[in-house]
Amino acid sequence: MASNVPVKDFSNLTELNEEQKRQLSELERAQGVASDAGYRIVAPQPSAKLLSGYTIPLVGLGTWKSAKGEVGAAVATALRAGYRHIDCARIYQNEHEVGEALAAVLAEGVVKREEVFITSKLWNSDHDPARVEAACRKSMEDLRVDYLDLYLMHWPVTGNPGPTVQPPLADTWAAMEQLVDKGLVRTIGVSNFSAKKLEALMAGARIQPAVNQVEAHPYWRNEELRAWCAARGIHLTAYSPLGSPDSAAVIGRSADVPSPLKDETVAAVAAELGKSPAQVLIRWAVQRGTSVLPKSVNPQRIAANLDVVGGWELAPEQVAALDALPLQRRMVDGSFWVDARGPYRSTAELWDE
């Protein structure tokens, strides 16, 4: 790489104090930040090849529950710190702010558009095939992009009560396939799908789902689904990798449910490695081959959450200890979609358990 290429220092453009700036600079040096044509690259970052032929960086920034006025700063901080994967959804109601931050960082020359993997999701109320393209274009407009790297069917739910899902998931999927045909979306997939629902969708699909985004952490390893997807080339993305500690009030979960962030085994592994419990949980997900979406609006935590992509790893015995944690329960159980009228009369029906 040419030594005379001008390198911009963007760390002073975020609202960081001097200590945070120092930590961010140390993180960048540790991760091998390089320059090319005046923008920054953090390399190498682990990634996975998708059925579509594109690659997905394994560590992304989640934007669910990020408040208005905070999510834009978080996205800008993350991109400047080296993140190359941003996970969004229309229902989060903050895509316009994410788009403003993305446009600003692209204009600075921090990163090129083709180097950022951007995901959005089709909400339940837009499953009608006639609404799918408009919903996708709305997300693209808010995000200020002319294509999405990944577009997911957010839930196998349409909000229409009755004995069966209406419109059928297969019809919605066919409309999503057309988004690929038109060049609006590079890769399509699903979120919160069981193996049974995925298998039914795949039976009639022209383009196979490349990604299934589901909850996964040591308190809900979701191992059977992960193995099932892996055997079919479907990449698994883990949401709520820290146990979604701040979602209790949002989804009605009891605040006293145990959290993997506070687990004694996780704490012990973190102490052995000189890392935080959050870093241990994120690294565990990466070593399983899944992509992972930690969420934070704190600059220090955003930087620390990316400090799992090189230089250290969990030892086999540490992975085994996390894989043996006895408590297994969803933090986002989908009970808010249960309806006595159907199509899901219980969470068991939603998850096919």
Side-chain angles (χ1 to χ4, degrees), residues 19-32:
E19 174 61 16
Q20 290 169 334
K21 293 176 187 176
R22 183 191 64 77
Q23 292 178 352
L24 183 56
S25 296
E26 288 182 357
L27 172 64
E28 290 170 337
R29 286 195 296 272
Q31 291 176 337

Side-chain angles (χ1 to χ4, degrees), residues 249-304:
V250 177
I251 62 176
R253 187 182 71 244
S254 173
D256 59 1
V257 172
S259 167
L261 268 177
K262 299 179 180 179
D263 184 87
E264 292 181 358
T265 299
V266 174
V269 171
E272 291 170 4
L273 294 167
K275 300 294 181 180
S276 71
Q279 289 173 314
V280 167
L281 294 171
I282 297 166
R283 182 67 204 183
W284 173 84
V286 169
Q287 288 186 213
R288 296 176 89 208
T290 68
S291 48
V292 58
L293 303 171
K295 191 274 293 185
S296 180
V297 296
N298 178 287
Q300 290 173 298
R301 290 175 183 167
I302 289 171

Side-chain angles (χ1 to χ4, degrees), residues 9-52:
D9 181 3
F10 299 103
S11 59
N12 63 348
L13 297 177
T14 57
E15 295 299 324
L16 309 180
N17 60 38
E18 292 305 314
E19 174 61 16
Q20 290 169 334
K21 293 176 187 176
R22 183 191 64 77
Q23 292 178 352
L24 183 56
S25 296
E26 288 182 357
L27 172 64
E28 290 170 337
R29 286 195 296 272
Q31 291 176 337
V33 174
S35 67
D36 186 9
Y39 60 90
R40 291 182 161 201
I41 305 170
V42 176
Q45 284 199 41
S47 62
K49 191 74 171 288
L50 302 176
L51 289 173
S52 61

Side-chain angles (χ1 to χ4, degrees), residues 177-198:
E177 291 175 328
Q178 293 178 24
L179 301 178
V180 179
D181 298 338
K182 294 180 179 181
L184 302 178
V185 175
R186 289 183 167 182
T187 304
I188 50 177
V190 297
S191 181
N192 298 299
F193 268 57
S194 67
K196 182 178 179 179
K197 287 181 175 61
L198 256 175

Side-chain angles (χ1 to χ4, degrees), residues 14-178:
T14 57
E15 295 299 324
L16 309 180
N17 60 38
E18 292 305 314
E19 174 61 16
Q20 290 169 334
K21 293 176 187 176
R22 183 191 64 77
Q23 292 178 352
L24 183 56
S25 296
E26 288 182 357
L27 172 64
E28 290 170 337
R29 286 195 296 272
Q31 291 176 337
V33 174
S35 67
D36 186 9
Y39 60 90
R40 291 182 161 201
I41 305 170
V42 176
Q45 284 199 41
S47 62
K49 191 74 171 288
L50 302 176
L51 289 173
S52 61
Y54 294 97
T55 58
I56 182 171
L58 293 191
V59 180
L61 179 75
T63 59
W64 180 40
K65 305 184 304 295
S66 292
K68 293 180 180 179
E70 294 181 338
V71 68
V75 168
T77 298
L79 290 171
R80 291 167 183 147
Y83 283 74
R84 296 297 178 258
H85 177 180
I86 307 295
D87 182 79
C88 312
R90 187 173 180 184
I91 194 61
Y92 300 165
Q93 299 181 32
N94 56 19
E95 287 189 325
H96 63 288
E97 192 173 336
V98 173
E100 290 171 359
L102 177 63
V105 173
L106 291 176
E108 293 165 4
V110 176
V111 66
K112 295 178 178 178
R113 166 65 186 97
E114 59 268 26
E115 294 172 332
V116 183
F117 191 96
I118 300 175
T119 300
S120 188
K121 307 179 189 77
L122 179 76
W123 188 238
N124 308 344
S125 56
D126 291 320
H127 273 230
D128 186 320
R131 296 177 60 91
V132 170
E133 182 175 333
C136 177
R137 287 186 180 275
K138 175 58 176 172
S139 283
M140 290 168 54
E141 177 185 352
D142 285 348
L143 292 167
R144 302 191 183 190
V145 297
D146 56 10
Y147 69 91
L148 292 172
D149 295 275
L150 177 62
Y151 198 50
L152 304 176
M153 196 185 304
H154 205 149
W155 287 88
V157 174
T158 66
N160 297 318
T164 60
V165 177
Q166 294 295 328
L169 299 177
D171 292 358
T172 304
W173 185 255
M176 291 180 64
E177 291 175 328
Q178 293 178 24

Side-chain angles (χ1 to χ4, degrees), residues 226-245:
R226 188 192 71 85
W228 188 92
C229 287
R232 291 155 180 82
I234 300 171
H235 177 75
L236 206 73
T237 295
Y239 73 69
S240 297
L242 310 182
S244 198

